[in-house]
Amino acid sequence: EDESAWTGRFVDEARARAGGRPTIAVVLWAPTAAEGEAWHDEYRADLAKHDCDVRFVQLAADRSLDAADLAGADGIFVGGGLTPGYHEAVMPAAQAIRELVADGTPYAGFSAGAMIAGDVALVGGWRIGGVEVTREEASEGLDDVTLGEGIGLVDVVVDVHATQYGTVPRAMAIVDAGLAERTVAIDERTSLIVGEQALVAAGEGNVYVISKDGPHVQVAVLGGR
């Protein structure tokens, strides 16, 4: 969920996929392309430390992701920003992303890119049934907690900025309300690594895995240290 924790592993997987220097498709969304370009240097600088080529795919309110944007990419990175914007712009290419990942192309999502990665995406919101379940600052401009179809790479609902934005209660409330069977809330500077094995945390913080056991909501903590 934060690039500092997983970039090296992600690029290594892309390099193994490429059999050499990998090309990373970096998918970013902003209200306008010009606003998005202001973020390019930050992402480029982080990825450049790991000896890879970066190809930006800048999405905007009038520009959605197309399967052709990902052609030839050895890794797919979807960045952060307004989650409803990312959700609307990325989902047209969800099937293409699923096929590439199934064929061995690694996917990394930061913030919004993580929230839309699941079978069910958490688009935003800070209240359920009129009850506050997280801070309004984490609402993404939505009132009711809103779920939608996700890219389909993991069978949990993903929340982010867990401790820092206070979103663990939202992830718990989603399960308690029966909106999803299982959620995860990922701290900043922390990664949730999903593969053929059990969920693994990496980085400086924790991943909170939330599920229902009868009438009770259970929270398991995966430490990344």
Side-chain angles (χ1 to χ4, degrees), residues 6-20:
W6 52 250
T7 305
R9 174 172 176 149
F10 166 66
V11 175
D12 284 347
E13 291 185 3
R15 182 175 294 108
R17 169 75 174 161

Side-chain angles (χ1 to χ4, degrees), residues 171-172 175-176 181-183 208-221:
M172 295 172 64
V175 171
D176 187 52
E181 293 184 0
R182 188 166 63 148
T183 60
Y208 304 87
V209 183
I210 299 149
S211 57
K212 198 82 175 284
D213 180 18
H216 305 293
V217 173
Q218 291 188 328
V219 181
V221 180

Side-chain angles (χ1 to χ4, degrees), residues 5-177:
W6 52 250
T7 305
R9 174 172 176 149
F10 166 66
V11 175
D12 284 347
E13 291 185 3
R15 182 175 294 108
R17 169 75 174 161
R21 183 181 174 91
T23 296
I24 308 298
V26 178
V27 179
L28 300 176
W29 181 92
T32 67
E35 290 177 74
E37 288 171 5
W39 303 337
H40 288 193
D41 287 346
E42 179 180 346
Y43 287 106
R44 184 183 291 109
D46 188 66
L47 286 163
K49 299 172 188 174
H50 301 281
D51 189 32
C52 62
D53 295 321
V54 176
R55 187 175 78 214
F56 287 101
V57 181
Q58 184 61 60
L59 309 179
D62 59 352
R63 178 20 173 133
S64 295
L65 186 64
D66 186 270
D69 294 321
L70 306 175
D74 304 300
I76 302 166
F77 166 81
V78 180
L82 187 67
T83 304
Y86 273 91
H87 184 248
E88 182 177 357
V90 171
M91 282 305 295
Q95 179 63 30
I97 295 174
R98 287 194 296 269
E99 291 174 358
L100 288 166
V101 171
D103 194 41
T105 303
Y107 174 99
F110 168 65
S111 194
M115 291 175 71
I116 66 173
D119 293 343
V120 175
L122 173 55
V123 184
W126 67 298
R127 294 196 277 206
I128 295 178
V131 178
E132 298 175 12
V133 295
T134 190
R135 296 163 50 194
E136 188 174 3
E137 291 84 349
S139 70
E140 308 274 3
L142 301 174
D143 189 81
D144 291 334
V145 169
T146 302
L147 304 176
E149 181 184 358
I151 296 172
L153 302 181
V154 60
D155 63 351
V156 296
V157 173
V158 180
D159 210 336
V160 296
H161 310 296
T163 302
Q164 296 74 23
Y165 280 25
T167 59
V168 176
R170 177 169 68 183
M172 295 172 64
I174 288 169
V175 171
D176 187 52

